[in-house]
Coordinates of all heavy atoms in Angstrom, one line a residue:
Q67 N -63.6 136.6 155.1 CA -62.2 137.1 155.4 C -61.9 138.5 154.9 O -61.4 139.2 155.4 CB -61.2 136.0 154.8 CG -61.5 134.6 155.2 CD -60.9 134.3 156.5 OE1 -60.9 135.2 157.5 NE2 -60.4 133.1 156.8
V68 N -62.4 138.7 153.6 CA -62.3 140.0 153.1 C -62.9 141.1 153.9 O -62.3 142.2 154.1 CB -62.8 140.1 151.6 CG1 -62.8 141.5 151.1 CG2 -62.0 139.2 150.7
K69 N -64.1 140.9 154.4 CA -64.8 141.8 155.2 C -64.1 142.1 156.6 O -64.0 143.2 157.1 CB -66.2 141.4 155.6 CG -67.2 141.5 154.4 CD -68.5 140.9 154.7 CE -69.4 140.9 153.5 NZ -70.7 140.3 153.8
M70 N -63.6 141.0 157.2 CA -62.8 141.1 158.3 C -61.5 141.9 158.1 O -61.1 142.7 158.9 CB -62.4 139.7 159.0 CG -61.8 139.7 160.3 SD -60.0 139.6 160.4 CE -59.7 138.2 159.3
L71 N -60.8 141.6 157.0 CA -59.6 142.4 156.7 C -59.8 143.8 156.4 O -59.1 144.7 156.7 CB -58.9 141.7 155.4 CG -58.2 140.4 155.7 CD1 -57.9 139.6 154.4 CD2 -57.0 140.5 156.7
R72 N -60.9 144.1 155.7 CA -61.3 145.5 155.5 C -61.6 146.3 156.8 O -61.2 147.4 156.9 CB -62.6 145.5 154.6 CG -62.8 146.9 154.0 CD -64.1 146.7 152.9 NE -63.7 146.0 151.8 CZ -64.5 145.0 151.3 NH1 -65.6 144.7 151.8 NH2 -64.1 144.4 150.2
W73 N -62.3 145.7 157.7 CA -62.5 146.3 159.0 C -61.2 146.6 159.7 O -60.9 147.6 160.3 CB -63.4 145.4 159.8 CG -63.8 145.8 161.2 CD1 -63.4 147.1 161.8 CD2 -64.6 145.2 162.2 NE1 -64.0 147.2 163.1 CE2 -64.7 146.0 163.3 CE3 -65.3 144.0 162.2 CZ2 -65.4 145.6 164.5 CZ3 -66.0 143.6 163.4 CH2 -66.0 144.4 164.4
N74 N -60.3 145.5 159.7 CA -59.0 145.7 160.4 C -58.2 146.8 159.7 O -57.5 147.6 160.4 CB -58.3 144.4 160.2 CG -57.0 144.4 161.1 OD1 -57.0 144.7 162.2 ND2 -56.0 143.9 160.6
L75 N -58.3 146.9 158.4 CA -57.6 148.0 157.7 C -58.1 149.4 158.1 O -57.2 150.2 158.3 CB -57.7 147.9 156.1 CG -57.2 149.0 155.3 CD1 -55.7 149.0 155.5 CD2 -57.6 148.7 153.8
G76 N -59.4 149.5 158.2 CA -59.9 150.8 158.7 C -59.4 151.2 160.1 O -59.1 152.3 160.3
V77 N -59.4 150.2 161.0 CA -58.8 150.4 162.3 C -57.3 150.9 162.3 O -56.9 151.8 162.9 CB -59.1 149.3 163.2 CG1 -58.4 149.5 164.6 CG2 -60.5 149.0 163.5
S78 N -56.6 150.1 161.5 CA -55.1 150.4 161.4 C -54.9 151.7 160.8 O -54.0 152.4 161.3 CB -54.5 149.3 160.5 OG -54.5 148.0 161.1
A79 N -55.6 152.1 159.7 CA -55.4 153.4 159.1 C -55.7 154.5 160.0 O -55.0 155.6 160.1 CB -56.3 153.5 157.9
S80 N -56.7 154.3 160.9 CA -56.9 155.3 161.9 C -55.9 155.4 163.0 O -55.5 156.6 163.3 CB -58.3 155.1 162.6 OG -58.7 156.1 163.5
L81 N -55.5 154.3 163.5 CA -54.5 154.3 164.6 C -53.1 154.8 164.1 O -52.4 155.4 164.9 CB -54.4 153.0 165.2 CG -55.6 152.5 166.0 CD1 -55.4 151.0 166.4 CD2 -55.8 153.3 167.2
Y82 N -52.8 154.6 162.8 CA -51.6 155.1 162.3 C -51.6 156.6 161.7 O -50.8 157.0 161.1 CB -51.1 154.2 161.0 CG -50.8 152.7 161.5 CD1 -50.9 151.7 160.5 CD2 -50.3 152.4 162.7 CE1 -50.6 150.4 160.8 CE2 -50.0 151.1 163.0 CZ -50.1 150.1 162.1 OH -49.8 148.8 162.5
N83 N -52.8 157.2 162.0 CA -53.0 158.6 161.7 C -53.0 158.8 160.2 O -52.7 159.9 159.7 CB -52.1 159.5 162.4 CG -52.2 159.5 163.9 OD1 -53.3 159.5 164.3 ND2 -51.1 159.5 164.6
L84 N -53.3 157.8 159.4 CA -53.4 157.9 157.9 C -54.7 158.6 157.5 O -54.9 159.1 156.4 CB -53.2 156.5 157.2 CG -51.9 156.0 157.5 CD1 -51.8 154.5 157.0 CD2 -50.8 156.8 156.7
V85 N -55.7 158.5 158.3 CA -57.1 159.1 158.0 C -57.7 159.7 159.3 O -57.3 159.3 160.4 CB -58.1 158.0 157.4 CG1 -57.6 157.5 156.1 CG2 -58.4 156.9 158.4
D86 N -58.5 160.6 159.1 CA -59.3 161.2 160.3 C -60.5 160.4 160.4 O -61.0 159.8 159.5 CB -59.6 162.7 160.0 CG -58.4 163.6 160.4 OD1 -57.5 163.1 161.0 OD2 -58.4 164.7 159.9
G87 N -61.3 160.7 161.4 CA -62.6 160.1 161.7 C -62.5 158.8 162.4 O -61.4 158.1 162.5
Y88 N -63.6 158.4 163.0 CA -63.7 157.1 163.8 C -64.0 156.0 162.8 O -65.0 156.0 162.1 CB -64.8 157.2 164.8 CG -64.7 156.2 165.9 CD1 -63.8 156.2 166.9 CD2 -65.5 155.0 165.8 CE1 -63.8 155.2 167.9 CE2 -65.5 154.0 166.8 CZ -64.5 154.1 167.8 OH -64.4 153.1 168.8
P89 N -63.3 154.9 162.9 CA -63.5 153.8 162.0 C -64.8 153.1 162.4 O -65.2 152.8 163.5 CB -62.3 152.8 162.3 CG -61.8 153.2 163.6 CD -62.1 154.6 163.8
P90 N -65.7 152.8 161.4 CA -67.0 152.0 161.7 C -66.7 150.6 162.1 O -65.8 150.0 161.8 CB -67.7 152.2 160.3 CG -66.6 152.2 159.3 CD -65.4 152.9 159.8
F91 N -67.8 150.2 162.9 CA -67.8 148.8 163.5 C -68.5 148.0 162.5 O -69.4 148.4 161.8 CB -68.5 148.8 164.8 CG -67.7 149.3 165.9 CD1 -67.8 150.6 166.5 CD2 -66.9 148.4 166.7 CE1 -67.0 151.0 167.5 CE2 -66.2 148.8 167.7 CZ -66.2 150.1 168.2
G92 N -68.1 146.7 162.5 CA -68.9 145.7 161.8 C -68.3 145.2 160.5 O -67.5 145.9 159.8
L93 N -68.6 144.0 160.1 CA -68.2 143.5 158.8 C -68.8 144.1 157.6 O -68.1 144.1 156.6 CB -68.5 141.9 158.9 CG -67.8 141.1 159.9 CD1 -68.3 139.7 160.0 CD2 -66.3 141.1 159.6
N94 N -70.0 144.6 157.8 CA -70.7 145.2 156.6 C -70.6 146.7 156.6 O -71.3 147.3 155.8 CB -72.1 144.7 156.5 CG -72.2 143.2 156.3 OD1 -71.5 142.7 155.5 ND2 -73.1 142.5 157.0
A95 N -69.9 147.2 157.5 CA -69.8 148.7 157.6 C -69.0 149.3 156.4 O -68.0 148.8 156.0 CB -69.1 149.2 159.0
E96 N -69.4 150.5 156.0 CA -68.8 151.1 154.9 C -67.8 152.2 155.4 O -68.2 152.9 156.4 CB -69.9 151.8 154.0 CG -70.7 150.8 153.3 CD -70.0 150.0 152.3 OE1 -69.1 150.5 151.6 OE2 -70.3 148.8 152.1
N97 N -66.6 152.2 154.8 CA -65.6 153.2 155.2 C -65.1 153.8 153.9 O -64.4 153.1 153.1 CB -64.5 152.6 156.0 CG -63.6 153.6 156.6 OD1 -63.5 154.8 156.1 ND2 -62.7 153.2 157.6
D98 N -65.6 155.0 153.6 CA -65.2 155.6 152.3 C -63.7 156.1 152.2 O -63.3 156.5 151.1 CB -66.1 156.8 152.0 CG -66.1 157.9 153.0 OD1 -65.6 157.6 154.2 OD2 -66.5 159.0 152.8
K99 N -63.0 156.0 153.3 CA -61.6 156.4 153.2 C -60.6 155.3 153.0 O -59.4 155.5 152.7 CB -61.3 157.1 154.7 CG -62.0 158.3 154.9 CD -61.8 158.9 156.2 CE -62.6 160.1 156.5 NZ -62.6 160.6 157.8
I100 N -61.1 154.1 152.9 CA -60.2 153.0 152.7 C -60.9 152.1 151.6 O -62.1 152.2 151.4 CB -60.0 152.1 153.9 CG1 -61.3 151.4 154.4 CG2 -59.3 152.9 155.0 CD1 -61.1 150.1 154.9

Side-chain angles (χ1 to χ4, degrees):
Q67 303 285 32
V68 171
K69 290 177 183 180
M70 189 263 312
L71 289 167
R72 194 175 291 133
W73 182 1
N74 191 45
L75 174 61
V77 174
S78 297
S80 182
L81 290 173
Y82 295 152
N83 294 320
L84 294 169
V85 295
D86 280 342
Y88 193 81
F91 281 93
L93 294 171
N94 295 318
E96 294 293 323
N97 189 341
D98 59 344
K99 296 176 182 171
I100 63 144

